[in-house]
Amino acid sequence: MREFGYQRVHDVPGAVALLGAEPEARYLGGGTNLVDLMKAGVERPALLIDVRELPLDRIEATADGGLRIGATVTNSDLAAHPQVRRGYPALAQAVLAGASGQLRNMATVGGNLLQRTRCGYFTDIALPCNKRSPGSGCPAVAGEHHNHAILGASEHCVAVHPSDMGVALAALDAVVSYETAAGPGELAITDFYLPVGDTPHLETALPSGALITGITLPPAPLAANSRYRKVRERASFAFAIGSVAAALDVRDGVVRDARLALGAVASRPWRARAAERALIGGPASAEAFAAAATAELAAAEPLPHNRYKVALIRNLVVAVLTDLAEQADPAEESVR
């Protein structure tokens, strides 16, 4: 591990200025991903800027009925918050599925957004990897790729994004707020992560030196009827081989509105727009749900060892949407 400096900051402008003065610095939240990558030699910062004491640790209702989540809110506090559990249950479920209690107590919301792939070629500096060393190649294409991407990949990278929380945020139309030396900015979560293309080392659209300050969830009545489900290779805490976050508004047997995102299928949380278009206005039936999943997966380009993900995701979408449709109460919806 490279020798590095450490400095704790207490205000956002000070944190941004400190990073601007040291281009090889990195912001440190819970460190649950960054420190592991430093130990492996993948990350080699000259300075760690500890942002845990910034005043960004609150969850507050917004004036329009949404929710604002500070970047240093821990995953444990996020999952336990009554407004999150009541109004955005898919988010609470995703966070609880993502890690052990010990890790959730340390991990922060901002850090979760920036966690990097767990692809074995990326985390082993003895091997080539375009994401870690641009132009060196992607050995996963012809090598070990059973848990790699089936959507939106390229010959340059087939790794998947590991976040559970990010999948739920994608389905819930979250907006990421950040601060730079030039002032504040915002990015929709669906614009936050860049397509992999031929530049897999460029992972987010954050401006250089930006500090994530929070996430805003817009008011969305259908988000109260939402769910996150994750499939993994072992029952204990493990990264997904497929996951679905969905929200559904069903009245009189018809899907009035829908939100759907997929995890462990692409280099970023995958918003399933084609499936949503197929769902809205159609019957709330298993057959319609399967057709919507098939419409989304028509663009899938699986590799030899991850073809199973196509059927897995299709079945998972049908199961989650069926549960949500059965959970919807038309009588209660009409009262609202």
Side-chain angles (χ1 to χ4, degrees):
M1 183 186 293
R2 175 187 184 183
E3 185 174 335
F4 60 91
Y6 170 87
Q7 190 162 340
R8 184 175 296 165
V9 290
H10 301 277
D11 62 89
V12 170
V16 172
L18 192 56
L19 187 69
E22 175 48 83
E24 293 188 6
R26 290 292 305 274
Y27 294 125
L28 175 70
T32 56
N33 183 214
L34 176 59
V35 173
D36 284 346
L37 293 176
M38 290 172 63
K39 291 177 180 178
V42 176
E43 294 278 6
R44 293 173 53 81
L47 172 68
L48 292 181
I49 303 170
D50 190 337
V51 299
R52 287 293 292 264
E53 293 191 7
L54 294 180
L56 303 173
D57 60 348
R58 300 182 66 182
I59 300 176
E60 302 172 299
T62 59
D64 61 358
L67 208 58
R68 164 80 180 186
I69 303 163
T72 63
V73 170
T74 66
N75 285 11
S76 289
D77 287 346
L78 177 65
H81 197 277
Q83 287 176 280
V84 176
R85 294 169 64 89
R86 181 173 59 251
Y88 306 88
L91 178 56
Q93 293 162 10
V95 172
L96 291 173
S100 66
Q102 295 94 326
L103 288 174
R104 292 197 303 270
N105 288 342
M106 288 297 296
T108 62
V109 167
N112 190 297
L113 289 176
L114 295 175
Q115 66 180 300
R116 308 193 71 186
T117 183
R118 265 56 177 194
C119 173
Y121 297 102
F122 172 75
T123 56
D124 188 342
I125 61 173
L127 300 173
C129 171
N130 285 325
K131 187 178 283 291
R132 177 173 32 78
S133 180
S136 62
C138 179
V141 173
E144 170 53 48
H145 55 243
H146 85 282
N147 193 25
H148 284 58
I150 60 172
L151 289 166
S154 77
E155 61 181 330
H156 303 282
C157 182
V158 293
V160 295
H161 196 271
S163 175
D164 294 285
M165 185 186 81
V167 182
L169 292 175
L172 297 171
D173 293 312
V175 175
V176 180
S177 300
Y178 62 84
E179 188 79 25
T180 69
E186 290 184 341
L187 283 166
I189 192 72
T190 47
D191 297 325
F192 181 80
Y193 296 105
L194 297 173
V196 65
D198 59 0
T199 55
H201 60 291
L202 302 177
E203 297 177 353
T204 77
L206 278 176
S208 177
L211 172 69
I212 295 174
T213 54
I215 297 169
T216 301
L217 297 174
L222 84 162
N225 189 40
S226 64
R227 183 164 298 183
Y228 180 79
R229 188 173 296 177
K230 171 181 181 177
V231 177
R232 44 192 157 195
E233 292 179 323
R234 53 188 171 90
S236 61
F237 294 102
F239 295 103
I241 57 173
S243 66
V244 170
L248 207 60
D249 178 6
V250 177
R251 282 171 282 175
D252 301 322
V254 176
V255 176
R256 306 295 181 179
D257 202 359
R259 300 288 186 274
L260 189 66
L262 311 177
V265 296
S267 63
R268 50 183 172 160
W270 187 267
R271 181 67 179 266
R273 303 283 189 185
E276 290 175 355
R277 289 192 294 269
L279 287 167
I280 296 172
S285 66
E287 293 78 12
F289 298 156
T294 298
E296 189 65 44
L297 293 166
E301 296 181 341
L303 295 164
H305 301 151
N306 68 1
R307 296 184 188 280
Y308 72 92
K309 284 195 176 188
V310 177
L312 184 152
I313 292 296
R314 181 184 294 110
N315 293 338
L316 195 55
V317 167
V318 173
V320 171
L321 293 179
T322 299
D323 285 350
L324 288 173
E326 292 174 351
Q327 182 176 299
D329 186 337
E332 280 191 3
E333 194 67 41
S334 64
V335 172
R336 292 174 192 165

